[in-house]
Amino acid sequence: MEKGNYTVVTEFFLVGLSNYPSLQMLLYVFCLLMYLVILLGNSILLIISILDPHLHTPMYFFLGNLSFLDICYTSSSIPQMLVNFTFERKSISFIGCALQLVISLGLGSTECLLLAVMAFDRYVAICNPLRYTIIMNKGFCVQIAAWAWILGFLNSLIQSVLALIMPFCENIIDHLACEILAILKVICVDISLNVFIMIIAGIVILITPLLLIFFSYVFILSTILRINSTEGRKKAFSTCSAHMTVVILFYGSALFMYMKPHSKDTKLFDEIFGLSYWAVTPMLNPIIYSLRNKEVKEGVKKVLLRNLYLRRI
């Protein structure tokens, strides 16, 4: 269906929240602080998982992948937002928008799959502890992590290319970043194919991993409740609670962001929530894993003490 005349696009204007100039400085400070916490927290968690030999396990291998992913995910959008908050001309080149779209959508898709992989790791650890080292060997862990990244970016490339080759009616995007749904709104031609691909991708990348996580924790909970020792049940719960919290935050935010009905009366709230969605979950991930995991705390202490000892020498 035709929407209007086509426009040759060399750049896009990101006008999300531009109707509230009084909020710009507050949002700049808010985003900058969260971005710094994200970089610091996830970098520490990533470095600790590499430097501490006791953390060279499948769980922390996947956690290191998640930390690296969160750093890249926020770096794909927040720096551009910070620039736009400080300049009146809120523009991004077509190539820059394409790269931002591919990277952010690819990393978001990868995180969906990676959280499902981490749930499977916890399932094997608790439900099949005697076979854990055999099933979750180094080669298998690398393979499933690699496939999560490959499938995530394959989905992103397909959706991004199908959107960006379409003719545009205008180059004004009512969003804070180059996000797939916002870009589809300024396409002039029929987007039935884009919507169909998005639905299929949603089933494969979003719904299927969520179902795998759900069934994994059904079996995990069933196994934990059969443990006679109170200490054993507590230890089993502690190994899963951090991952469960991250899953609830990530999927809860995503479902609220994309599934709830939108209206003009809640547009400001929707845009601010979208901003926090890009930053809050990546910021909380390392905090959750650090606060609820003794091994991470011990790893931090060991690395710090080792560095202090080497400096004294």
Side-chain angles (χ1 to χ4, degrees):
M1 183 180 296
E2 298 292 334
K3 296 183 181 178
N5 295 328
Y6 300 165
T7 298
V8 177
V9 174
T10 59
E11 65 178 352
F12 289 102
F13 292 92
L14 304 170
V15 298
L17 293 176
S18 60
N19 293 330
Y20 307 94
S22 59
L23 287 176
Q24 300 297 303
M25 186 52 64
L26 179 63
L27 290 171
Y28 177 85
V29 174
F30 176 70
C31 286
L32 179 60
L33 290 176
M34 287 203 301
Y35 185 50
L36 292 175
V37 172
I38 289 166
L39 292 180
L40 179 63
N42 284 287
S43 295
I44 290 175
L45 201 55
L46 180 60
I47 291 169
I48 294 301
S49 66
I50 293 173
L51 295 182
D52 189 353
H54 294 94
L55 300 183
H56 291 176
T57 62
M59 175 181 172
Y60 293 102
F61 170 72
F62 297 129
L63 184 56
N65 273 262
L66 184 63
S67 295
F68 176 72
L69 184 152
D70 283 339
I71 292 171
C72 296
Y73 180 66
T74 53
S75 296
S76 70
S77 55
I78 291 185
Q80 179 67 41
M81 292 182 194
L82 294 175
V83 172
N84 287 345
F85 286 143
T86 55
F87 289 94
E88 187 174 348
R89 182 181 171 84
K90 305 176 186 301
S91 64
I92 183 173
S93 68
F94 181 86
I95 297 299
C97 184
L99 287 173
Q100 188 179 86
L101 176 61
V102 170
I103 293 171
S104 61
L105 182 57
L107 292 171
S109 302
T110 301
E111 182 157 358
C112 292
L113 298 170
L114 197 57
L115 289 174
V117 169
M118 294 173 74
F120 176 74
D121 172 66
R122 293 299 83 205
Y123 161 76
V124 177
I126 293 174
C127 299
N128 295 282
L130 298 179
R131 301 181 59 199
Y132 179 71
T133 55
I134 299 173
I135 297 173
M136 302 301 294
N137 58 74
K138 184 177 180 179
F140 180 68
C141 290
V142 171
Q143 286 181 21
I144 56 176
W147 275 111
W149 285 87
I150 291 169
L151 292 176
F153 273 91
L154 182 62
N155 167 57
S156 176
L157 283 171
I158 292 172
Q159 291 200 56
S160 299
V161 170
L162 284 176
L164 294 171
I165 62 174
M166 297 291 188
F168 296 97
C169 298
E170 58 181 347
N171 62 346
I172 298 175
I173 297 176
D174 191 9
H175 211 276
L176 291 164
C178 291
E179 194 262 348
I180 185 67
L181 292 178
I183 289 176
L184 291 179
K185 290 179 181 179
V186 296
I187 291 176
C188 281
V189 295
D190 182 36
I191 57 171
S192 299
L193 177 60
N194 302 74
V195 173
F196 176 73
I197 295 296
M198 187 176 293
I199 292 172
I200 297 300
I203 294 172
V204 175
I205 301 294
L206 185 66
I207 303 301
T208 302
L210 184 58
L211 289 174
L212 290 174
I213 292 170
F214 174 76
F215 286 115
S216 293
Y217 276 105
V218 167
F219 288 113
I220 288 171
L221 184 61
S222 175
T223 302
I224 290 175
L225 293 176
R226 292 201 300 268
I227 298 175
N228 296 324
S229 168
T230 303
E231 185 65 28
R233 285 197 300 269
K234 184 179 178 181
K235 184 177 180 181
F237 269 120
S238 68
T239 62
C240 298
S241 57
H243 179 257
M244 289 175 64
T245 306
V246 169
V247 168
I248 292 170
L249 281 172
F250 178 78
Y251 278 98
S253 299
L255 292 174
F256 180 84
M257 185 68 186
Y258 293 105
M259 301 299 289
K260 85 177 192 67
H262 292 261
S263 67
K264 292 182 179 179
D265 296 333
T266 62
K267 188 173 185 298
L268 174 60
F269 175 79
D270 291 341
E271 290 182 338
I272 293 177
F273 184 84
L275 179 61
S276 64
Y277 165 71
W278 282 313
V280 172
T281 303
M283 180 182 69
L284 292 178
N285 283 353
I287 297 174
I288 292 169
Y289 277 104
S290 299
L291 291 178
R292 301 183 68 88
N293 199 305
K294 293 181 180 179
E295 292 178 331
V296 173
K297 294 179 183 177
E298 290 298 322
V300 172
K301 291 178 183 178
K302 288 177 183 178
V303 172
L304 290 176
L305 290 174
R306 189 186 308 160
N307 289 336
L308 289 173
Y309 176 75
L310 292 174
R311 286 183 180 179
R312 289 178 181 178
I313 294 177

